[in-house]
């Protein structure tokens, strides 16, 4: 269920994302770059259909994307991953889920949801950090309750604990990530990790 990027550029970008001296403006550029790589990887199996086009010289039988897709970023950090999907795919709709982690209990609380019609649609949940898996599990539950046909998670960094939580509660869910880190700290932060993605993204 876990699909990890394997590319030198991925290693390069993640290393700079981890670096605590990386400024927010550079962090945002790096977040865009890694999200672009993840968008390509996560959509390798999109359905296509044959079409006939006329080149300047002859008729050609080619392929185009066969169906629309939906991306749902988890606020606020997931917003950093939306642009590559919107730029790459012409028929993409965007929904939003607000899930806030309680710093004492590490349990996520949903405070906002705005979704397009998703029944029988393919949906990609965008959340840079898969730590305990609490937010991911909640997001999957919401989207499947609304009738999504297939839901995948797209993350930058994930912890083994988070991957296990998703696998146990939603078996078969595909998780696309740049890296799998070592473990969670006692405070439920990913190690070695890169800190709070949202804070580093927005400088707050």
């Amino acid at each position: 269920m876990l699909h990890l990027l394997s590319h030198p550029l991925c290693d390069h970008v993640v290393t700079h994302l981890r670096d605590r001296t990386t400024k927010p403006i550079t962090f945002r550029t790096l977040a865009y770059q890694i999200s672009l790589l993840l968008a390509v990887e996560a959509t390798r199996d999109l359905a296509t259909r044959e079409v006939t086009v006329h080149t300047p010289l002859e008729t050609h039988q080619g392929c185009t994307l066969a169906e629309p897709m939906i991306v749902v970023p988890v606020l606020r950090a997931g917003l950093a991953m939306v642009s590559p999907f919107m730029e790459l795919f012409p028929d993409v709709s965007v929904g939003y889920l607000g899930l806030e982690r309680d710093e004492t209990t590490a349990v996520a609380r949903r405070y906002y949801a705005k979704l397009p019609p998703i029944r029988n649609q393919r949906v990609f949940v965008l959340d840079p950090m898969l730590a305990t898996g609490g937010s991911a599990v909640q997001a999957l539950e919401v989207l499947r309750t609304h009738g999504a046909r297939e839901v995948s998670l797209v993350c930058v960094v994930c912890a083994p604990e988070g991957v296990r939580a998703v696998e146990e509660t939603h078996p078969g869910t595909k998780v696309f990530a740049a890296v799998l880190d070592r473990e969670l700290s006692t405070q439920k932060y990913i190690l070695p990790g890169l800190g709070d993605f949202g804070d580093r993204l927005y400088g707050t």
Side-chain angles (χ1 to χ4, degrees):
M1 62 171 285
L2 179 62
H3 304 263
L4 296 176
L5 288 178
S6 178
H7 195 286
L9 182 57
C10 171
D11 299 335
H12 171 85
V13 171
V14 171
T15 297
H16 287 290
L17 284 170
R18 293 190 194 278
D19 189 342
R20 67 181 183 181
T21 66
T22 298
K23 304 296 185 189
I25 189 170
T26 305
F27 194 92
R28 289 191 287 271
T29 299
L30 295 166
Y32 175 90
Q33 291 173 346
I34 200 68
S35 299
L36 185 64
L37 292 173
L38 286 164
V40 172
E41 183 65 24
T43 55
R44 281 184 181 275
D45 63 345
L46 287 181
T48 59
R49 59 185 175 88
E50 290 190 352
V51 297
T52 300
V53 297
H54 299 280
T55 79
L57 300 176
E58 62 183 29
T59 300
H60 172 73
Q61 194 78 15
C63 292
T64 61
L65 296 177
E67 59 183 0
M69 56 184 282
I70 295 171
V71 295
V72 179
V74 175
L75 303 177
R76 64 181 170 154
L79 291 173
M81 304 178 73
V82 174
S83 289
F85 281 87
M86 294 186 70
E87 292 169 11
L88 286 173
F89 301 100
D91 295 319
V92 61
S93 298
V94 182
Y96 299 92
L97 278 178
L99 297 169
E100 185 176 45
R101 183 169 101 155
D102 185 297
E103 296 303 326
T104 304
T105 65
V107 176
R109 175 187 65 86
R110 190 176 82 184
Y111 63 89
Y112 183 75
K114 179 71 172 178
L115 301 172
I118 64 173
R119 183 164 298 279
N120 297 321
Q121 300 296 311
R122 184 160 184 188
V123 183
F124 295 87
V125 176
L126 312 181
D127 194 359
M129 309 297 282
L130 177 58
T132 64
S135 295
V137 168
Q138 281 199 46
L140 290 168
E141 289 171 352
V142 169
L143 296 171
R144 288 187 169 143
T145 298
H146 282 74
R149 184 184 81 243
E150 180 180 352
V151 186
S152 301
L153 293 173
V154 185
C155 313
V156 177
V157 179
C158 58
E161 295 89 337
V163 175
R164 282 197 298 271
V166 171
E167 188 173 26
E168 288 169 1
T169 55
H170 297 277
T173 299
K174 293 178 181 177
V175 179
F176 297 91
V179 290
L180 175 66
D181 272 6
R182 187 177 71 249
E183 62 185 351
L184 293 180
S185 69
T186 55
Q187 290 78 34
K188 307 300 182 184
Y189 285 99
I190 301 174
L191 297 174
L194 47 77
D196 186 292
F197 200 96
D199 287 353
R200 298 199 61 198
L201 188 70
Y202 300 115
T204 57

